[in-house]
Amino acid sequence: MNTNYNDEYIIKVTNLYKNYGQNEVLKGIDLTVKKGEVISIIGSSGSGKSTFIRCLNLLGEPTAGKIEFEGNIIYESNTHHLKKELEEFKKNNSDYKTQEKYKQLRKELKESRIHDFKQSRQIDKTINVHRQKIGMVFQHFNVFNNLTVIDNITLAPMKTKGISKEEAEKQALELLEKVGLLDKAKEYSLKLSGGQKQRLAIVRALAMNPDCMLFDEPTSALDPEMVKEVLEVIKRLTQTGMTIIIVTHEMGFAKEISDRVIFMDQGIICEEGTPEEIFNNPKNARTKEFLSKVL
Amino acid sequence: MKSFLDKLKATKLYVFITSKSFRTFSFILVIGLTIFLLINNYGNKEINAATEADTFTVEIINVNENAGLATIAYKDGENYIDTGKTKLEVKSGTKIKFYYKDGLNEGYNILFWANYESNVFAPVKDPGDNESYYVSTSFVKTIKSDITLVVVSIKETEKIVYFYNSSVKEHRSMIGVDVVDFGKDATFKFNTPKNRGFDFIGWSEDLTTITSNMEIYPLYKSSVWTVFRDYYPMFFRGLAVTLLLSVISVFCALFLGIILCLMRLSKSYILKFVAAAYVEVIRGVPLLLQLLVIYIILGPSKIHIGSFFTTEVISCLLALFINSGAYSSEIFRSGIQAVDKGQMEAGRALGLSNWQVMIKVVIPQGIKNSLPSIGNELVSIIKETSLAVSVDASIGELMSVRKQITAATYINLPPYIVIAIIYFCVTFSLSKLIGHLEKRLQTHEH
Ligand SMILES: Nc1ncnc2c1ncn2[C@@H]1O[C@H](COP(=O)(O)OP(=O)(O)O)[C@@H](O)[C@H]1O
Ligand SMILES: [Mg+2]
């Protein structure tokens, strides 16, 4: 499976589409993430940033496109495009029934549907292996409310990797110490403050030794005084060489940590470039408009 | 002065008294007391009615199921002379009022009854004999703890008689000695608990032969309070059975509920369908019907475990279990669905499988969400066990205590009221407790 993986990129997204019913949220996104790269995604609310980042570990199922992770195709579907093409073809050719291309398209569509069906049956099993390598941190922390801090961290490593309890706890305590939560280890996560919860959520993801981390607005739900402690943890993480994709509204922070900044609007990537390019010298009119509002 | 008021307002008692729950509680208490007093009054009135000077009452108490037409007669020499009460529609509890009329106001030595058709007269018999109408005379007036008997059935005048309170020799004790005359009041004080109710008043002239022609239906001072005072062990035993049935069935139903709930949340359409069908059918059919059906199915098997878990009890438990299982599964389902979707997402994002997250994270939280509703389910099951009487009163839960008390005292309403009050106290305080725990659960979360 790993044959065409040349270590250059860790995630490769090709022509990704996502619809919610009739609502087209992602309209063809291409993105290649290099190993160790830190990418910030910015954009106005409702532009599809969360939808996109959730497609990367298939928490949200795309409608069409291709997602590769470390050389493995974790999702691929053409059905949506083929359907559109077929409809277009029908519209443009009144005698479409006799044409060879029509038959060809129908055959492809059928095959594609079969592929989708097989994939959907496989995905729920195979994706777990990939997800173990893709850490994710959510806007609303989503710490496990019924578990203590330490159990939050050890649950997944113990269940998925068969690590012993002692080992998992040892690792968890080390990680907790790094983010200053050691004294909270035995507390219920419910009792933590927002900032502490988010730090816990980060540690929980890191305990799986992921190859990359996804952050979806990790500080948006925090009180201002807690933003800093979380950003501090993320910043330190960038220094370890971790591959990171972060959706954020903290422009200063994005500028500081990113290798690449992506501006999304209405389901497409409008502009991407280095922080300097995007923040100091935006080319796209919509980027300019957005930045003028938030900066 | 002002500072005193401020101090007063700061006290816990003041806060408690002015709190909304206390006001609600007092309101309910006042309403309850009013009803209680009204009922009490009602009880007394009934007794007063029996003391009308020129009447006495005969009650029919032991007619087997089918009511019939009867004739009440007395014997004069060899002849049965009807008392004017012929072709009477009698059933258990029928009261017949006799008036002292010319020529008849001597009372009756022994009353006889006959089926109207057969006209074969038989003397009234002891209450133990199920085969006969048990006709008893009552002559009662109650003044607080004293009971006054109007003696009507003694032909001879001016005689010393000894009165006894039971037809059963071992239980019998003398309750009074009096010089009686026809129509004279004989007053007895019943102070000891033992003498409170009685099934019989016999009299004797010579302390040896007790004549039972003065059999009296135990006229019981039927107020809610006295019923409770005299029968509280029965009520509490009934309550204990009720609580035991409820707790056992709800506890077992929790497991059924969780299993059903998991079936409904699973991906298999067959499991989903089976669970959904079960839940909908059980919720759509009256519990009473389920109870009867199960009793009919289990009845002949005569299975029992120990002396308490008879076939009837097991049927009742099973029906409550089946019924409550369906409701609990819905409770769990809504509890689980109320768990933040983010919990599942976070678990899946870590690479855990759907079931792993379910079992370790979502279900525990869902169950915690469900706890208050499960408590309320217990409250409603406590009330629903009352349906068990319709299967068999021998189960002995709270509601069936009424039957036992009525059988002993021939009063209906006061025991019902006592039972209502007990149900209310238990369920009301339980729901308040649950509400309190719910609040505490919530404050722990935020
Ligand atoms: N679960 C959903 N069902 C339907 N529409 C959704 C759902 N989630 C998001 N959307 C829609 O997708 C669009 C993009 O949402 P989102 O990706 O959350 O934007 P962002 O994170 O950039 O603010 C929005 O218009 C939103 O209404
Ligand atoms: Mg978002």
Side-chain angles (χ1 to χ4, degrees), chain A residues 45-46 49-51 139 216-217 247 249:
Chain A
S45 175
K49 306 182 298 295
S50 298
T51 309
Q139 181 176 355
D216 187 3
E217 300 192 25
V247 176
H249 289 299

Side-chain angles (χ1 to χ4, degrees), chain A residues 54 57 59 124 128 131-132 134 136 138 142-146 155-156 159-160 190 204-205 208, chain B residues 267 340 342-343 345-354 356-357 360-361 364-365 368 444-445:
Chain A
R54 288 161 55 85
N57 62 359
L59 270 189
D124 207 53
N128 287 340
R131 280 180 182 155
Q132 287 166 26
I134 310 174
M136 182 151 190
F138 301 84
N142 298 351
V143 294
F144 301 138
N145 291 329
N146 59 319
L155 175 67
K159 284 273 160 193
T160 60
L190 208 59
R204 181 178 62 181
M208 292 294 289
Chain B
K267 292 212 172 78
D340 180 15
Q343 299 283 310
E345 282 188 345
R348 296 309 307 273
L350 286 165
L352 294 164
S353 73
N354 185 53
Q356 284 172 330
V357 187
K360 283 285 169 180
V361 177
Q365 291 183 46
K368 192 179 158 196
H444 267 252
E445 265 164 43

